[in-house]
Amino acid sequence: MDYNFDVVDGKVLITLRKRGAPMDKLVSELMILANSEWGRMLAEADIPAMYRAQSMGKVRMTTRPEPHIGLGVAQYAWATSPLRRATDFVNQRQLTAMIRGEKPQFEQGNAMLFALLRDFDATYSAYLGFQDKLEHFWCLRWFTQEGVSNITATFIKEDLVRIDGLPMRVRIPGLPELARGDRIQLSVIRIDELMAEIEFRFTGVVGHVEAASEEEEG
């Protein structure tokens, strides 16, 4: 799920961004199809590219085609958004060379391609980390603003839970044995906006929801 953040007259507003409209679904599926098929074409031409692969729940970058389990495709090369991702720009240049019958800029085993992949992966991870911290801070501000003392969350795994209605994941030490998708009640113990910290105490199980798979799109 995606959320919108707004500050209106000093008040933090966090709202769910509606998705799932027929047009959204169509665009998403077409991007997955294009990225998968273009990746297949490059693989069949023995031209390396920057692929996203997923196995055992982990997503990673690779220069060789490997399955993306979450999307259910044999290979997945980001290539549909060259204006916003460097990987897509590189992959489109590889595709253009293939279509024109020209020598690609990067051939198998090219050290520069590996360096670009490594640098992009590090930069992308840093971007996602910054985005998470930004959203985490505004969630803390929302908790303080609303004076929330109790809230529900959905258990993910181990001590990790997702706060219901917010783009916020936190770890709760000392949780009892729970099943993925269990909804639990939490009480707020402490909030420190300066240190970006919040502490909760588990108070009970309130229900269960089927855990939705988190797939990558675009």
Side-chain angles (χ1 to χ4, degrees):
M1 291 186 288
D2 295 324
Y3 293 82
N4 291 318
F5 288 78
D6 293 291
V7 179
V8 180
D9 296 328
K11 185 175 183 179
V12 179
L13 303 177
I14 304 175
T15 55
L16 184 64
R17 185 185 307 160
K18 293 183 179 180
R19 300 184 66 182
M23 186 56 68
D24 291 338
K25 186 66 173 177
L26 176 62
V27 171
S28 173
E29 291 299 321
L30 286 175
M31 286 194 295
I32 293 172
L33 175 63
N35 288 331
S36 175
E37 284 300 297
W38 287 344
R40 178 187 60 78
M41 292 167 63
L42 287 169
E44 290 178 351
D46 196 32
I47 296 176
M50 292 185 177
Y51 292 92
R52 297 282 283 180
Q54 184 189 45
S55 60
M56 304 296 290
K58 294 184 178 180
V59 179
R60 60 188 178 85
M61 301 292 295
T62 174
T63 59
R64 293 189 175 276
E66 296 181 22
H68 192 300
I69 303 302
L71 296 177
V73 294
Q75 65 283 311
Y76 189 70
W78 267 342
T80 53
S81 302
L83 294 180
R84 67 185 179 96
R85 280 192 304 247
T87 51
D88 300 59
F89 179 72
V90 170
N91 286 340
Q92 284 208 6
R93 293 191 68 177
Q94 297 290 85
L95 279 165
T96 300
M98 180 195 70
I99 293 169
R100 291 177 174 174
E102 300 173 351
K103 180 180 178 180
Q105 181 177 6
F106 303 107
E107 296 184 289
Q108 293 291 356
N110 187 286
M112 180 59 72
L113 182 61
F114 284 106
L116 287 172
L117 184 146
R118 182 195 62 233
D119 291 346
F120 172 82
D121 204 21
T123 302
Y124 190 67
S125 296
Y127 163 77
L128 292 179
F130 176 78
Q131 182 72 18
D132 287 343
K133 290 179 180 178
L134 193 65
E135 293 183 353
H136 185 80
F137 170 79
W138 287 112
C139 286
L140 293 183
R141 178 61 58 87
W142 179 86
F143 268 99
T144 302
Q145 165 190 290
E146 300 297 320
V148 176
S149 58
N150 293 281
I151 199 164
T152 59
T154 302
F155 178 74
I156 300 175
K157 62 179 180 179
E158 299 173 353
D159 60 351
L160 184 65
V161 304
R162 180 188 297 106
I163 303 300
D164 292 341
L166 295 173
M168 188 181 202
R169 297 185 184 192
V170 294
R171 294 191 179 277
I172 313 293
L175 286 176
E177 185 174 346
L178 298 167
R180 182 177 175 85
D182 280 350
R183 294 187 68 235
I184 61 176
Q185 185 77 32
L186 301 173
S187 59
V188 180
I189 304 303
R190 181 181 68 90
I191 298 174
D192 187 331
E193 293 182 11
L194 183 61
M195 299 301 294
E197 295 175 347
I198 185 168
E199 291 183 15
F200 295 96
R201 178 184 295 122
F202 169 80
T203 58
V205 178
V206 296
H208 182 84
V209 294
E210 291 300 323
S213 62
E214 297 181 4
E215 297 182 354
E216 186 179 347
E217 301 176 356

